[in-house]
Amino acid sequence: MFAILLSDKMDPFYQNLTSFPTAIFSFLLILCLLYWLVAVLGFVDIDMLDFDVPDMDGDLDINADSGHSTPDVLAALMLKFGLQGVPVTIIVSLIALFGWLICYYLVHFLFGWVPDGIMRYLLGLPVLFASLYVAVIITGQLIKPMRPFFQNARQQSVKFIIGQTAIVRSSVVNSNFGEAVLSDGGAGLLLKVRCEPGIEFVKGDRVVLLEHEVASNTYKVISEAEFSGQ
């Protein structure tokens, strides 16, 4: 079977599908499909892959010499392209889907005129980055109407979350950074948490969610012992 796929007589669809740079989006799309299959079966939550980044005040300069960390730069890029307000898994899935479609048709219509060999790889690089850029733009526009839905869902969940005990998942929780997992009977809820300046929690600590900050979608926490008055 694989010999047929790799032969020169293979169907043009599969040839485009497995050739550079379409193969990169094909692989990413397969990973997304497998993830959603597992999510539908209830083994993981759709926001399980969401990540936390340090809080940012004002505009963030993402130049190489600005001195910002990788999470800061990634957050700035996501905000720049409007990739916020919905789970990261949805964003990645849409980028993979649109990137694959754009890349496939660019390869289909352009590579027929390009001889085999290094020229295809040289042309493949700009096709890859162009497909990724356009896919990001389309995804940013498409998720705009989705944001109110997820915002309302968060507001409903806050009523259940406040006062509950969560387990710190990140290596540290402080006034600027931190994640904790709240057991909900399923895969668990991954939450961004913060504590008072000068206080830190480490992975595995039990904390109580006291207050929700709407603007940053974070939860203020204290230790379970302090909450219990011990």
Side-chain angles (χ1 to χ4, degrees):
M1 175 180 177
F2 293 103
I4 296 176
L5 290 177
L6 296 175
S7 69
D8 295 334
K9 298 180 179 179
M10 64 187 292
D11 187 284
F13 172 78
Y14 296 108
Q15 194 172 29
N16 293 337
L17 197 68
T18 57
S19 63
F20 178 83
T22 316
I24 296 177
F25 287 107
S26 298
F27 177 73
L28 181 59
L29 191 58
I30 290 173
L31 289 182
C32 292
L33 290 174
L34 291 175
Y35 178 86
W36 284 109
L37 177 61
V38 175
V40 168
L41 295 176
F43 292 107
V44 298
D45 194 78
I46 64 170
D47 58 359
M48 186 191 75
L49 298 182
D50 282 2
F51 57 90
D52 192 18
V53 295
D55 295 333
M56 297 180 297
D57 297 323
D59 295 331
L60 188 61
D61 180 11
I62 58 176
N63 292 327
D65 299 330
S66 62
H68 291 293
S69 64
T70 299
D72 290 333
V73 175
L74 181 58
L77 288 173
M78 293 182 69
L79 290 173
K80 178 179 179 180
F81 291 105
L83 302 177
Q84 81 279 353
V86 302
V88 171
T89 48
I90 294 179
I91 295 174
V92 173
S93 298
L94 290 175
I95 291 176
L97 175 61
F98 290 118
W100 181 87
L101 288 171
I102 296 167
C103 191
Y104 175 85
Y105 282 106
L106 285 177
V107 169
H108 180 74
F109 289 110
L110 292 179
F111 277 34
W113 303 91
V114 180
D116 293 335
I118 193 171
M119 286 301 299
R120 291 209 170 198
Y121 290 96
L122 292 177
L123 180 60
L125 286 175
V127 168
L128 172 64
F129 289 112
S131 302
L132 179 61
Y133 179 79
V134 176
V136 167
I137 297 298
I138 295 175
T139 300
Q141 296 298 316
L142 193 62
I143 65 175
K144 282 184 179 180
M146 300 183 186
R147 291 175 192 152
F149 170 79
F150 287 98
Q151 184 177 4
N152 292 335
R154 291 193 192 100
Q155 292 173 350
Q156 293 298 322
S157 65
V158 166
K159 298 178 182 179
F160 161 76
I161 289 174
I162 296 299
Q164 298 290 325
T165 300
I167 307 297
V168 174
R169 194 191 80 154
S170 55
S171 59
V172 66
V173 170
N174 53 37
S175 59
N176 295 313
F177 177 83
E179 291 179 338
V181 176
L182 174 65
S183 177
D184 62 348
L189 298 176
L190 179 61
L191 308 172
K192 295 191 292 184
V193 296
R194 305 287 186 265
C195 59
E196 292 291 342
I199 300 176
E200 283 191 355
F201 300 106
V202 297
K203 186 174 182 178
D205 285 349
R206 296 174 64 86
V207 294
V208 177
L209 305 158
L210 286 185
E211 182 182 344
H212 180 240
E213 177 60 45
V214 177
S216 59
N217 190 32
T218 59
Y219 293 85
K220 181 179 178 181
V221 298
I222 61 173
S223 68
E224 187 179 42
E226 182 181 356
F227 181 79
S228 302
Q230 300 177 359

